[in-house]
Amino acid sequence: MNILLLLLLFYQVQNPTLINVYINPRNDTEANFLLSEFAKEIKYIKLQTSDLCVVSSISKILIDDDKIFVKSPVNSFFHLLLFSSDGSFLNEIGRSGRGPGEYATVFDFAIDRSRKIVYILDSMGKVLIYDYKGKYLDTILITSKPSGILFTDESLVLLSAWPDYYLNKGFAIQIKELSGSKKDVYLLNRKSVEFKRGQGVPSNLNYFYS
């Protein structure tokens, strides 16, 4: 049975610059915003679904002109699907597996809109690079295991949240330069926590330990 999904897109007012909203939690107890302040049009898009493009739910969306990137779970892993602006399925970006150019799961992803490049953050300490047609291009090995990724200014920003610091050598943010002309930058350095792994000690990225 096909699943019909409606995708709500917001088109920003006037120009493509980022809209900043500042809220002071100490002084502002309630804030009201008008949709017209953020968007000039609301468009509902029905995503095509089939055996080739199963979308059980949507975890993340990025848009580049007439391309819509959708991260969605399938069984025990996430995959990345590409749709056109009318909801037609175009192709899958990469695939899950253990071979060259394959990922264990899509932890997170980012896109380089100028070069039409997709960066997929895997759960195995690497970033895989594809073009918009899903062709594998390269792999970047990383020493940490972040849970989030951003692309900006020819750099990848790798993000980790507590309690993941102790699995990431104490770094919360790593800026990986793609040009090769600069060294990587590490921010929010925390002292690494060492502990003996024993029975009953969780080691999952999202678990606390005591």
Side-chain angles (χ1 to χ4, degrees):
M1 180 178 65
N2 290 339
I3 302 174
L4 300 181
L5 297 175
L6 294 180
L7 175 62
L8 178 61
L9 300 181
F10 293 95
Y11 288 87
Q12 194 174 313
V13 178
Q14 294 180 347
N15 59 66
T17 57
L18 191 65
I19 297 177
N20 296 315
V21 178
Y22 299 96
I23 299 177
N24 187 336
R26 295 184 177 180
N27 301 326
D28 302 332
T29 57
E30 182 176 342
N32 297 317
F33 303 99
L34 297 176
L35 181 59
S36 58
E37 298 177 21
F38 298 91
K40 62 182 179 181
E41 180 184 1
I42 298 178
K43 186 177 182 181
Y44 295 90
I45 298 177
K46 183 176 68 174
L47 298 181
Q48 176 187 352
T49 57
S50 67
D51 293 339
L52 297 177
C53 53
V54 177
V55 182
S56 58
S57 63
I58 296 176
S59 301
K60 181 176 180 179
I61 292 177
L62 289 180
I63 299 174
D64 181 11
D65 294 331
D66 61 343
K67 302 290 191 303
I68 304 172
F69 296 85
V70 176
K71 174 189 170 185
S72 179
V74 174
N75 298 324
S76 60
F77 70 94
F78 286 87
H79 65 168
L80 185 58
L81 304 174
L82 180 60
F83 297 86
S84 65
S85 57
D86 64 359
S88 300
F89 174 68
L90 298 177
N91 56 266
E92 183 173 354
I93 306 297
R95 64 178 182 178
S96 177
R98 297 188 178 184
E102 297 177 336
Y103 51 78
T105 188
V106 180
F107 246 29
D108 197 7
F109 74 98
I111 57 176
D112 178 350
R113 292 176 173 84
S114 62
R115 296 194 301 154
K116 309 302 181 186
I117 296 296
V118 181
Y119 298 94
I120 290 183
L121 175 63
D122 191 12
S123 59
M124 304 303 292
K126 58 185 177 180
V127 176
L128 293 97
I129 308 174
Y130 304 87
D131 63 17
Y132 278 17
K133 293 183 179 180
K135 179 183 177 181
Y136 168 73
L137 301 177
D138 200 0
T139 295
I140 300 175
L141 298 178
I142 52 181
T143 57
S144 60
K145 290 188 178 181
S147 56
I149 185 172
L150 296 171
F151 174 83
T152 179
D153 194 25
E154 297 301 318
S155 302
L156 291 178
V157 181
L158 306 172
L159 307 170
S160 300
W162 178 259
D164 298 348
Y165 294 131
Y166 73 97
L167 293 176
N168 287 279
K169 298 186 177 181
F171 296 106
I173 300 175
Q174 177 185 357
I175 302 176
K176 191 164 192 63
E177 302 288 348
L178 299 176
S179 62
S181 60
K182 299 179 182 179
K183 294 183 178 180
D184 292 355
V185 177
Y186 298 88
L187 304 175
L188 298 182
N189 188 10
R190 299 271 182 112
K191 184 178 180 180
S192 297
V193 177
E194 296 182 359
F195 67 99
K196 294 182 179 180
R197 182 177 299 175
Q199 186 176 2
V201 178
S203 59
N204 187 283
L205 284 174
N206 297 317
Y207 288 168
F208 285 93
Y209 69 94
S210 60

